[in-house]
Structure formats: C-alpha cells, structure tokens
Amino acid sequence: MTQESPILGSMDRPRAAARRRIWPLIVFGLVLVAAISIAAARPRALPSVERSSLVIDEVTRGPFVQEVAAAGALVAEQPRLISAPAAGRIRRIEVEPGDRLTTDQVILELENPDVVLQLLEVEQQIAVALADLADLSATLQVRSLGSENDLRRSAFESTDARRQSDATSKLAEEGLISDLEALRQNERSEELAERVVTDRLRHAAIERSARAQIEAQQNRLEQLRDLHAFHRSLVERLTVRAPSQTTAREILVQQGEWVTEGQRLVSLVEPGRLKAVLQVPEAAAHALKIGQPVTMNARGTELRGTVSRLAAAVQDGTLAAEVRLEGDLPAAARPDLSVEGRIEISRSSVALSVGRPVSAVAGDSTHLYIVDGSSARRAEVRLGLASTDRIEIASGAAAGDRLVIAGLDGRTEPAIRLD
C-alpha cells in the first residue's frame, strides 16, 4: 500500500476547507436572485389618491359658448357736475348722497355779500342811466324844436320874399319901379331860399345827432340791464337747485367751507340712465368687438347688454369695455354697484367640452387623467377654444370620458388608483 506524501496531504486540506466556506455564499446568492425575480414578476401596486380630493368632470358634446369674464361696476351714463357760480361760503346743505331730487329742489346755499353788492351797484347805475336818458331826450328835443322853428321861419321868409320878387319883377316890367329895386328883391329871395336849404340841412343833422345820442344811451342802458340780469342770476344761483329729476351721487363740500368760482359742489346722476364698465384682462382684449352680447350679475340680479364702446388703450393690464344695458333696471341699481360680467366672444352649435382646468391654455396640448372605474390613466389631450369655465376638447378624449380637471397638478405617473 502506497502512503500519501506528507507534503501533498497538507495542501489538500486548506482547499477542502475553502470549498466548504464558498457553498453557503453561493446558496444565499441563488436564493436572493430567486426572491428578486419573484418580486419583479408580481404586478406593481399603483400610487393611490383620494377620490374626494379631485375635481372630475365629464366630456360632453353640445353647444359651446366662448366667453370672457370681467369684473366692473355700474356708472352713470351721463353724470353731471354742478360747480360754484361764484366764490362764497357754504351756508347750508339740504340733501344727502343718494337722495332722489325733484326739479328745482334746493341742494345747498352759498353766501357772498360782494355778489349782492355788485347787483345793487348795477341797479344804481341803471337808475342813473335812465335819468341821463330822460335828460338827454329832453335836451335834444328842445334843440330839435328850435331847429325846426328856425327852418319854418326861414321857409316862411323865403316864400314871402319870392312873392315880393315876383311882384317887383312885374312892376319893373310895367315901369312902375326901377330895375335895380326888382333886382335887389330877387337877390333877397334867392338868399332866403338858400337859407332854407341850410336850415333844413342843419335840422336834419340835429335830428341824426339826437337819434345817435339817444341810441347810444339806450345801448348803454341795455348793457347795464344785461349786466343786471347776469348779477341777478348769479345771486339766484347762489342757491343751488336740481336741474331735473336726479339723484345726488356725492356732495363734494361741507357746510361752512369757502369755495372758489368753478369749484365742484355736487355730483348728480339721472336715475335709470346707467351703463356698465367692465375691466377685461389684457390677454382677452384682442377678442372684443362692438356689439358682442354681455350677461352680468349684480348682487344676484341678472343684467343684459351689449358692448357699446372699447377704450383706445390698455391701462393697468385691463381694457375698459362699456356696456349698454337692455331692459328696465332693477330698483336697487345704483352707480358704483359692482358687477360680474361675461362677454360672449363666439358660439358653436356642436363641440366637445369639459370643465376648464386651472392651468389649461386654449390651443395647447396638456396631460390629463381619464377616470376608468377605480383608476385613472394619464393621456395627452389637445385643447381648443377656452371660455370662462369650460374648454373645448380637440382630440385625446371622447364624449362621456371623465377627466380629472383639478387635484393632480404635477403628477406624472402613467396611472393612479382612486380610493
């Protein structure tokens, strides 16, 4: 029997010990790989979301109205401001903001002694002008009568001289008087005839001068009377009255306050003559046109109208749109009453639409979750026109699909479970 070498026997023993230590590691690795494979083969659990935390809306097919929402207020269609006719102090105020006023109802009173004094001075000037006119008329009448008397005397003397000249001419022809005497009488007749012409011209000039002076004095008197009417009207207008049936919107002064000429005193509006002014966001301003229908809500009261005017430029991020109201206004309608309006941009007879997600932009593509029983899958949806609370579905969803429109912002999982 052959014996093993002591050296070889000692080398085999470490190798056998190493093999005994590796086998447990190999078995553990195989078990780990098998466990991982089994876990991978099982269906992965979907992330869950509370259904109550979501906003779900169904895609419907039907009419679609594209609208723009805008807030605004009712304003006076023709507001009216009353200004101070002259400087003065507010003596008393008879009305309060919101009061309904009748024609000529006293609103407030001003007092200014200087205005009254000016009226009295003009009245005194009128009295003096009347006296001057009477005195001038009398003086001119006397002058005219004197001139007329001179003219009458000259005419009489001229006629008498002409008769005498005719008589002397006949006597001279008969030789009863000398030719020199007839010539002298003829020259006197001609002189008196020229005096009549001169007196007639002087009398006419005196008459024209009298008429001019009387007319000038009368014009001055008329000017004073117009000035008197103005100052009387000014004194009367110190008592500020309602021009018609109106509503006092705002009293801009206080009792005892000194106001200057032209200062605003009262703001008035005519009841029932209101319009709405909506502030449309700049992003939607391009779609506005004159004549578009508008529906508004004023504290629970529905109002209707049409866009009647658009502002020339955007200001502070909005475009002002004036709306002409239709029908009778409710009794509660007042200037500055806030309203919420919807301006109709377009209307489609048939379209797919769903409630508008907060981040949805018209014409864009977005990802929304389509609900299928107890789960929802993520799908790409192409959007169309957008309204205030709904948006068109161009593709990606069909009528009857239920879409999650709020509550899953930022989620990117392909599917979720709804609990």
Side-chain angles (χ1 to χ4, degrees), residues 42-229:
R42 291 179 180 176
R44 181 177 298 175
L46 297 177
S48 63
V49 176
E50 289 291 335
R51 184 186 292 266
S52 59
S53 66
L54 306 178
V55 178
I56 301 173
D57 193 38
E58 183 177 345
V59 178
T60 59
R61 181 183 299 275
F64 178 78
V65 179
Q66 184 186 8
E67 296 176 325
V68 172
L74 297 180
V75 299
E77 189 171 290
Q78 290 183 341
R80 182 166 186 170
L81 290 171
I82 296 182
S83 302
R89 192 174 304 281
I90 305 297
R91 181 181 177 185
R92 62 192 178 97
I93 300 175
E94 297 289 339
V95 300
E96 296 289 340
D99 288 352
R100 295 289 182 95
L101 309 179
T102 59
T103 304
D104 290 334
Q105 180 177 344
V106 176
I107 299 175
L108 57 84
E109 290 184 2
L110 290 165
E111 57 181 0
N112 187 336
D114 292 338
V115 174
V116 178
L117 180 60
Q118 290 173 358
L119 176 62
L120 296 177
E121 290 176 351
V122 173
E123 290 177 346
Q124 184 179 5
Q125 292 176 12
I126 290 176
V128 172
L130 285 171
D132 291 344
L133 178 61
D135 181 63
L136 180 62
S137 297
T139 301
L140 294 177
Q141 186 176 7
V142 170
R143 185 183 301 174
S144 177
L145 289 175
S147 174
E148 185 178 0
N149 187 46
D150 292 342
L151 176 60
R152 188 178 297 111
R153 185 183 302 110
S154 298
F156 174 77
E157 292 176 352
S158 176
T159 301
D160 184 61
R162 187 172 63 253
R163 292 193 190 102
Q164 293 181 12
S165 174
D166 292 341
T168 54
S169 296
K170 291 181 179 180
L171 292 175
E173 291 176 357
E174 296 175 356
L176 298 176
I177 62 173
S178 63
D179 291 338
L180 181 60
E181 183 66 23
L183 179 61
R184 185 182 295 114
Q185 190 63 38
N186 186 45
E187 289 178 349
R188 183 174 181 274
S189 174
E190 291 178 353
E191 180 184 356
L192 290 175
E194 291 178 356
R195 183 184 298 176
V196 169
V197 173
T198 301
D199 288 346
R200 184 176 289 113
L201 291 175
R202 184 167 64 87
H203 179 69
I206 290 174
E207 288 290 321
R208 288 195 301 270
S209 176
R211 285 195 297 270
Q213 293 182 63
I214 294 294
E215 184 177 354
Q217 186 64 19
Q218 287 177 340
N219 288 339
R220 179 173 179 271
L221 184 59
E222 288 300 320
Q223 291 176 354
L224 288 174
R225 284 171 174 165
D226 290 342
L227 187 61
H228 177 265

